Amino acid sequence: MKADYDVVVIGGGAAGLSAALYAVRAKLKTVVLERFACGGQILNTAEIENYPGFPEGILGPDLSSLLEKQVTRFGAEVVLDEVEGIQIEGDIRVVKALENTYRTKTIIIASGGEHNKLGVPGEEEFAGRGVSYCATCDGNFFADQDVVVVGGGDAAIDEGLYLSRITKKVTVVHRRDQLRASKILQERAFSNPKMDFKWSHTVEEVRGNGQVDRVLLKNLRTGERTEFGTYGVFIYIGFHPNSAFLRDVVPLDNGGHVQANIRMETSIPGVYACGDVRQYSDRQLATAVGDGVTAALSAYNYITE
Ligand code: NAP
């Protein structure tokens, strides 16, 4: 069996497009498989202020289309197709997708992931207008304002601590009366004068008028519902990588992230992982770009050595 491609990149987000850019510029025949539209999480991000080189910020959809233009300019194919599984057949890696099957020398997995959603009214409506899943990205929009963080794990407390440096006050809304986060983060949060806690509460609705201005909270002990004023709702109730299609082929950790080393190599030769789907990813745009570049360079070395 012959390979149709040198590199198949699974996922057209920042990591995948960066990998494709470096692969195609190294004269590797490259295709990016994307199930919806290129851009990944940045496609749903209104304004990006923390990506180096854009002092005035850049709109997520604009950056997405620039990245796509850049990779196609150098000859990478971008195909809308949803990957269902991969197989290893000797030196050939086979990517099975809904529309087609792609035979390739290497695979770069850049399928990203999604933040778990609360699934309450107003969450979707106010996404990017007060509701956020990324404090590092959006915290600065809430300078000296009151914000709410939902969740009690490491991410909620870590990001809550980050927000406490920027905002006026951070209220953590947690469904139980104790945190799941590591003790050291808990100690920092409890001793932080700008952090407050609403124990045994859930957010039942996000409300506002164009922008978030309050949430409807439910006290799980008493059943009482109250409105709570806030301008930002940062939701940290877990994250799930898009990796179900890799099960039984590529080693995943307990959270479903692909295990890869510092060269983005998985334990399967010629198969790489980069961006948010990778274990220990910092889940930032800039780090996803760096991951993608490293994955492409590793693929290049594998093919040429
Ligand atoms: P996590 O540890 O699974 O915590 C999720 C939190 O959300 C839990 O407190 C959970 O409540 C709550 N939750 C889940 N579903 C909910 C719902 N529907 N409504 C309200 N609350 C809900 O997830 P994570 O914090 O994203 O962390 C993921 C992994 O990354 C962990 O392994 C973590 O250690 C790691 N991480 C580490 C750091 C760090 O070390 N600095 C930072 C970020 C992430 P319950 O507690 O009641 O289940």
Side-chain angles (χ1 to χ4, degrees), residues 11-65:
L17 291 175
S18 304
L21 177 65
Y22 270 64
V24 77
R25 283 175 53 86
K27 301 284 177 226
L28 300 178
K29 191 173 181 210
T30 303
V31 61
V32 179
L33 304 179
E34 164 58 47
R35 60 180 165 169
F36 300 129
C38 279
Q41 289 177 62
I42 58 172
L43 198 55
N44 296 318
T45 306
E47 197 170 355
I48 298 164
E49 286 192 330
N50 61 357
Y51 191 58
F54 295 92
E56 304 304 326
I58 180 162
L59 299 178
D62 289 354
L63 184 58
S64 302
S65 82

Coordinates of all heavy atoms in Angstrom, one line a residue, residues 11-65:
G11 N -7.6 18.0 12.6 CA -8.0 19.2 13.3 C -7.4 20.5 12.8 O -6.2 20.6 12.6
G12 N -8.3 21.4 12.5 CA -7.9 22.7 11.8 C -7.9 23.8 12.8 O -8.2 25.0 12.4
G13 N -7.6 23.6 14.1 CA -7.4 24.7 15.0 C -6.0 25.3 14.9 O -5.3 25.0 13.9
A14 N -5.7 26.1 15.9 CA -4.4 26.8 15.8 C -3.2 25.8 15.8 O -2.2 26.0 15.1 CB -4.2 27.7 17.1
A15 N -3.3 24.7 16.6 CA -2.2 23.7 16.6 C -2.1 23.0 15.3 O -1.0 22.9 14.7 CB -2.5 22.7 17.7
G16 N -3.2 22.6 14.7 CA -3.2 21.8 13.5 C -2.8 22.7 12.3 O -2.0 22.3 11.5
L17 N -3.2 23.9 12.2 CA -2.9 24.8 11.1 C -1.4 25.2 11.2 O -0.7 25.3 10.2 CB -3.7 26.0 11.1 CG -5.2 25.8 10.7 CD1 -6.0 27.1 10.8 CD2 -5.4 25.2 9.3
S18 N -0.9 25.4 12.4 CA 0.5 25.7 12.6 C 1.4 24.5 12.2 O 2.4 24.6 11.5 CB 0.9 26.1 14.0 OG 0.0 27.1 14.4
A19 N 0.9 23.3 12.5 CA 1.7 22.1 12.1 C 1.7 22.0 10.6 O 2.7 21.7 10.0 CB 1.0 20.8 12.7
A20 N 0.5 22.2 10.0 CA 0.4 22.1 8.5 C 1.3 23.1 7.8 O 1.9 22.8 6.8 CB -1.1 22.3 8.1
L21 N 1.4 24.3 8.4 CA 2.2 25.4 7.8 C 3.7 24.9 7.7 O 4.3 25.1 6.7 CB 2.1 26.7 8.6 CG 2.9 27.8 8.2 CD1 2.5 28.3 6.8 CD2 2.8 29.0 9.2
Y22 N 4.1 24.4 8.8 CA 5.5 24.0 8.9 C 5.7 22.7 8.0 O 6.8 22.6 7.4 CB 6.0 23.8 10.3 CG 6.6 25.0 10.9 CD1 5.8 26.1 11.1 CD2 7.9 25.1 11.2 CE1 6.3 27.3 11.6 CE2 8.5 26.3 11.7 CZ 7.6 27.4 11.9 OH 8.2 28.6 12.4
A23 N 4.8 21.8 8.0 CA 4.9 20.6 7.2 C 5.0 21.0 5.7 O 5.8 20.5 5.0 CB 3.8 19.7 7.5
V24 N 4.0 21.8 5.3 CA 3.9 22.1 3.8 C 5.1 22.9 3.4 O 5.6 22.7 2.2 CB 2.6 22.7 3.5 CG1 2.5 24.2 3.9 CG2 2.2 22.5 2.0
R25 N 5.6 23.8 4.2 CA 6.8 24.6 3.9 C 8.1 23.7 3.8 O 9.1 24.1 3.3 CB 7.0 25.8 4.8 CG 6.0 26.9 4.4 CD 6.0 28.0 5.4 NE 7.4 28.6 5.5 CZ 7.9 29.5 4.8 NH1 7.3 30.0 3.8 NH2 9.2 29.9 5.0
A26 N 8.0 22.5 4.5 CA 9.1 21.6 4.4 C 8.9 20.6 3.2 O 9.6 19.6 3.1 CB 9.2 20.8 5.7
K27 N 8.0 21.0 2.3 CA 7.7 20.2 1.1 C 7.1 18.8 1.4 O 7.3 17.9 0.7 CB 8.9 20.1 0.2 CG 9.5 21.4 -0.2 CD 8.6 22.1 -1.3 CE 9.1 23.4 -1.7 NZ 8.1 24.4 -1.8
L28 N 6.4 18.7 2.5 CA 5.7 17.5 2.8 C 4.3 17.6 2.3 O 3.6 18.7 2.4 CB 5.7 17.2 4.3 CG 7.0 17.1 5.0 CD1 6.9 16.9 6.5 CD2 7.9 16.0 4.3
K29 N 3.8 16.6 1.6 CA 2.4 16.6 1.1 C 1.4 16.5 2.3 O 1.4 15.5 3.0 CB 2.1 15.5 0.1 CG 0.8 15.7 -0.6 CD 0.6 14.7 -1.8 CE -0.7 15.0 -2.4 NZ -1.3 13.9 -3.0
T30 N 0.6 17.6 2.5 CA -0.1 17.7 3.7 C -1.6 18.0 3.5 O -1.9 18.8 2.7 CB 0.5 19.0 4.5 OG1 1.9 18.7 4.7 CG2 -0.1 19.2 5.9
V31 N -2.4 17.3 4.3 CA -3.8 17.6 4.3 C -4.3 17.9 5.7 O -3.8 17.2 6.6 CB -4.7 16.5 3.6 CG1 -4.6 15.2 4.3 CG2 -6.1 17.0 3.5
V32 N -5.1 18.9 5.9 CA -5.7 19.1 7.2 C -7.2 18.6 7.1 O -7.9 19.1 6.2 CB -5.7 20.6 7.6 CG1 -6.4 20.9 8.9 CG2 -4.3 21.2 7.5
L33 N -7.6 17.8 8.1 CA -9.0 17.3 8.1 C -9.7 18.0 9.2 O -9.2 18.0 10.4 CB -9.0 15.8 8.3 CG -8.3 15.0 7.3 CD1 -8.4 13.5 7.6 CD2 -8.8 15.2 5.9
E34 N -10.7 18.7 8.9 CA -11.5 19.5 9.9 C -13.0 19.2 9.7 O -13.5 19.2 8.6 CB -11.2 21.0 9.6 CG -12.1 22.0 10.3 CD -12.2 21.9 11.8 OE1 -11.1 21.8 12.5 OE2 -13.3 21.8 12.3
R35 N -13.6 19.0 10.9 CA -15.0 18.6 10.8 C -16.0 19.7 10.5 O -17.1 19.5 9.9 CB -15.5 17.7 11.9 CG -15.4 18.4 13.3 CD -15.8 17.5 14.4 NE -15.4 18.0 15.6 CZ -15.8 17.5 16.8 NH1 -16.6 16.5 16.9 NH2 -15.4 18.1 17.9
F36 N -15.7 21.0 11.1 CA -16.7 22.1 10.9 C -16.1 23.2 10.0 O -16.4 23.3 8.8 CB -17.1 22.7 12.2 CG -17.7 21.7 13.2 CD1 -17.2 21.6 14.5 CD2 -18.8 21.0 12.8 CE1 -17.8 20.7 15.4 CE2 -19.4 20.1 13.7 CZ -18.9 20.0 15.0
A37 N -15.2 24.0 10.7 CA -14.6 25.1 10.0 C -13.3 25.3 10.7 O -13.2 25.1 11.9 CB -15.5 26.3 10.1
C38 N -12.3 25.8 9.9 CA -11.0 26.0 10.5 C -11.0 27.1 11.6 O -11.8 28.0 11.5 CB -10.0 26.4 9.4 SG -9.4 24.9 8.6
G39 N -10.2 26.9 12.5 CA -10.1 27.9 13.6 C -10.2 27.3 15.0 O -9.5 27.8 15.9
G40 N -11.0 26.3 15.1 CA -11.1 25.6 16.4 C -11.7 26.6 17.5 O -12.6 27.4 17.2
Q41 N -11.1 26.6 18.7 CA -11.6 27.5 19.7 C -11.5 29.0 19.4 O -12.3 29.8 19.9 CB -10.9 27.2 21.1 CG -11.3 25.8 21.6 CD -10.5 25.5 22.9 OE1 -10.6 26.2 23.9 NE2 -9.7 24.4 22.8
I42 N -10.5 29.4 18.6 CA -10.4 30.8 18.4 C -11.5 31.3 17.5 O -11.8 32.5 17.5 CB -9.0 31.2 17.8 CG1 -8.6 30.5 16.6 CG2 -7.9 31.1 18.9 CD1 -7.4 31.1 15.9
L43 N -12.1 30.4 16.7 CA -13.2 30.8 15.9 C -14.4 31.3 16.8 O -15.2 32.2 16.3 CB -13.7 29.6 15.1 CG -14.6 29.8 13.9 CD1 -13.9 30.8 12.9 CD2 -14.9 28.5 13.2
N44 N -14.5 30.8 18.0 CA -15.5 31.3 18.9 C -15.0 32.3 19.9 O -15.7 32.5 20.9 CB -16.1 30.1 19.6 CG -16.8 29.1 18.7 OD1 -17.5 29.6 17.8 ND2 -16.6 27.9 18.8
T45 N -13.9 32.9 19.7 CA -13.4 33.8 20.6 C -13.5 35.2 20.0 O -13.0 35.4 18.9 CB -11.9 33.5 20.9 OG1 -11.8 32.2 21.3 CG2 -11.3 34.4 22.0
A46 N -14.2 36.1 20.7 CA -14.4 37.4 20.1 C -13.0 38.1 19.9 O -12.6 38.3 18.7 CB -15.3 38.3 21.0
E47 N -12.4 38.5 20.9 CA -11.1 39.2 20.8 C -10.0 38.5 21.5 O -10.1 38.1 22.7 CB -11.3 40.6 21.4 CG -10.3 41.6 20.9 CD -10.5 43.0 21.3 OE1 -11.6 43.3 21.8 OE2 -9.6 43.8 21.0
I48 N -8.9 38.4 20.8 CA -7.7 37.8 21.4 C -6.7 38.9 21.7 O -6.2 39.6 20.8 CB -7.1 36.7 20.5 CG1 -8.2 35.6 20.2 CG2 -5.8 36.1 21.0 CD1 -7.9 34.8 19.0
E49 N -6.3 39.0 23.0 CA -5.4 40.1 23.4 C -4.0 39.6 23.8 O -3.1 40.4 24.1 CB -6.0 40.9 24.5 CG -7.1 41.8 24.1 CD -7.5 42.8 25.1 OE1 -7.4 42.5 26.3 OE2 -8.0 43.9 24.8
N50 N -3.9 38.2 23.9 CA -2.7 37.7 24.5 C -1.8 36.9 23.5 O -1.0 36.2 23.9 CB -3.0 36.8 25.7 CG -3.8 35.6 25.4 OD1 -4.2 35.5 24.2 ND2 -4.1 34.8 26.3
Y51 N -2.1 37.2 22.2 CA -1.3 36.5 21.2 C -0.2 37.4 20.8 O -0.5 38.6 20.3 CB -2.2 36.0 20.0 CG -1.4 35.1 19.1 CD1 -0.9 33.9 19.6 CD2 -1.2 35.4 17.8 CE1 -0.2 33.1 18.8 CE2 -0.5 34.6 16.9 CZ 0.0 33.4 17.4 OH 0.7 32.6 16.6
P52 N 1.1 37.1 20.9 CA 2.1 38.0 20.7 C 2.1 38.6 19.2 O 1.8 37.9 18.3 CB 3.4 37.2 20.9 CG 3.0 36.1 21.8 CD 1.6 35.8 21.5
G53 N 2.4 39.9 19.1 CA 2.4 40.5 17.8 C 1.2 41.3 17.5 O 1.2 41.9 16.4
F54 N 0.2 41.2 18.3 CA -1.0 42.0 18.0 C -1.3 42.9 19.2 O -2.2 42.6 20.0 CB -2.2 41.1 17.7 CG -2.0 40.2 16.5 CD1 -1.5 39.0 16.6 CD2 -2.4 40.7 15.3 CE1 -1.3 38.2 15.5 CE2 -2.2 39.9 14.1 CZ -1.6 38.7 14.2
P55 N -0.6 44.1 19.3 CA -0.8 44.9 20.4 C -2.2 45.5 20.6 O -2.6 45.7 21.8 CB 0.2 46.1 20.2 CG 0.5 46.0 18.7 CD 0.3 44.6 18.3
E56 N -3.0 45.6 19.5 CA -4.4 46.0 19.7 C -5.3 44.9 19.8 O -6.5 45.0 19.8 CB -4.8 46.9 18.5 CG -3.9 48.1 18.2 CD -3.8 49.0 19.4 OE1 -4.8 49.2 20.1 OE2 -2.7 49.6 19.6
G57 N -4.8 43.6 19.8 CA -5.7 42.5 19.8 C -6.1 42.1 18.4 O -5.9 42.9 17.5
I58 N -6.7 40.9 18.3 CA -7.2 40.5 17.0 C -8.5 39.7 17.2 O -8.6 39.0 18.2 CB -6.1 39.7 16.1 CG1 -6.7 39.3 14.8 CG2 -5.6 38.5 16.9 CD1 -5.7 38.9 13.7
L59 N -9.4 39.8 16.3 CA -10.7 39.0 16.4 C -10.4 37.6 16.1 O -9.7 37.3 15.1 CB -11.7 39.6 15.5 CG -12.2 41.0 15.8 CD1 -13.2 41.5 14.7 CD2 -12.7 41.2 17.2
G60 N -10.9 36.7 16.9 CA -10.7 35.2 16.7 C -11.0 34.8 15.3 O -10.1 34.1 14.6
P61 N -12.2 35.1 14.7 CA -12.5 34.7 13.4 C -11.5 35.2 12.3 O -11.2 34.6 11.3 CB -13.9 35.2 13.1 CG -14.5 35.3 14.5 CD -13.3 35.7 15.4
D62 N -11.0 36.4 12.6 CA -10.0 37.0 11.6 C -8.7 36.2 11.6 O -8.1 35.9 10.6 CB -9.7 38.5 12.0 CG -10.9 39.4 11.7 OD1 -11.9 38.9 11.1 OD2 -10.9 40.6 12.0
L63 N -8.3 35.9 12.8 CA -7.0 35.1 13.0 C -7.2 33.8 12.3 O -6.3 33.3 11.6 CB -6.6 35.0 14.4 CG -5.2 34.4 14.7 CD1 -4.1 35.1 13.9 CD2 -4.9 34.3 16.1
S64 N -8.4 33.2 12.5 CA -8.6 31.8 12.0 C -8.5 31.9 10.4 O -7.8 31.0 9.8 CB -10.1 31.4 12.3 OG -10.3 31.3 13.6
S65 N -9.1 32.9 9.8 CA -9.1 32.9 8.4 C -7.7 33.2 7.9 O -7.2 32.7 6.8 CB -10.2 33.7 7.8 OG -9.8 35.1 7.8

